[in-house]
Amino acid sequence: MSKMIQRLNINEQISYLKVGIELGIFSVSDAAQWADDQIATQEDPAYELIELSLMSDSNRYEIADQLVRIGAPSLNPAEVLPCLLAKAHKRLLNEPDFGRILAEGLYRSWSASIYDFPEILSPCGYFDDAYSLAENGVYGTTDQITRELLEFTSRFKNCAELFSA
């Protein structure tokens, strides 16, 4: 996983990691590595952090739940999405099939917010339905939707500096 800039406190890091895991941007192994990194810097790490470090066989939703046991996310999804979408953009350039996974995650996040994202994030509710329509031959193609998703995520490229290589 890209290292998060050290200026973020642990609850802010949890915010990014939790939403990133739920969207499929970060993997289970990314979360375990983050936990390992946290453990290495602490004299007496919390049991929940140690558990996360050992959860490599878990699914992303179990990981997201465990993150909340470690600390309370201090930022809401709408606050972290722009920088996560910058990271997703880079991945989409190399893995177009990731678009479908991202679209599903964006829709879940948008609906969990009770459809209350800022205007710039309003397309988050569009892509999952668009992929479904394209896959069923009703409207458009999946390649077209992936291009639209790439165009949408490119708006957030300036947020990429949150993550180092």
Side-chain angles (χ1 to χ4, degrees):
M1 173 175 98
S2 299
K3 299 245 184 219
M4 292 183 199
I5 293 180
Q6 296 306 313
R7 67 184 162 91
L8 298 178
N9 69 44
I10 193 162
N11 290 331
E12 291 170 334
Q13 290 181 34
I14 288 170
S15 301
Y16 280 93
L17 195 54
K18 181 180 182 300
V19 174
I21 288 280
E22 291 170 345
L23 295 176
I25 295 169
F26 295 130
S27 68
V28 168
S29 62
D30 290 332
Q33 182 60 55
W34 175 83
D36 289 344
D37 293 345
Q38 294 299 311
I39 290 167
T41 65
Q42 298 179 15
E43 191 170 306
D44 188 22
Y47 177 75
E48 294 81 6
L49 194 57
I50 295 167
E51 274 187 329
L52 178 61
S53 176
L54 301 171
M55 292 178 69
S56 60
D57 292 333
S58 300
N59 66 49
R60 61 186 171 155
Y61 302 107
E62 292 168 332
I63 296 296
D65 287 343
Q66 185 65 21
L67 283 165
V68 175
R69 290 183 190 107
I70 294 167
S74 58
L75 303 170
N76 69 49
E79 292 175 297
V80 300
L81 269 173
C83 292
L84 291 171
L85 289 172
K87 186 161 180 60
H89 180 76
K90 287 182 181 180
R91 185 166 170 194
L92 276 170
L93 288 170
N94 297 317
E95 299 174 51
D97 291 342
F98 172 63
R100 186 62 170 118
I101 295 165
L102 179 61
E104 290 170 2
L106 288 172
Y107 181 82
R108 278 193 305 276
S109 187
W110 177 68
S111 63
S113 77
I114 312 171
Y115 315 105
D116 189 28
F117 274 176
E119 183 65 29
I120 194 165
L121 295 173
S122 62
C124 289
Y126 161 77
F127 293 104
D128 187 48
D129 288 341
Y131 271 110
S132 293
L133 291 171
E135 290 165 350
N136 290 309
V138 175
Y139 184 78
T141 66
T142 56
D143 288 343
Q144 177 187 4
I145 306 307
T146 300
R147 284 191 302 275
E148 290 177 20
L149 185 54
L150 265 167
E151 183 180 326
F152 171 65
T153 58
S154 73
R155 298 178 194 172
F156 305 99
K157 289 191 294 190
N158 63 335
C159 289
E161 70 273 0
L162 178 63
F163 302 98
S164 62

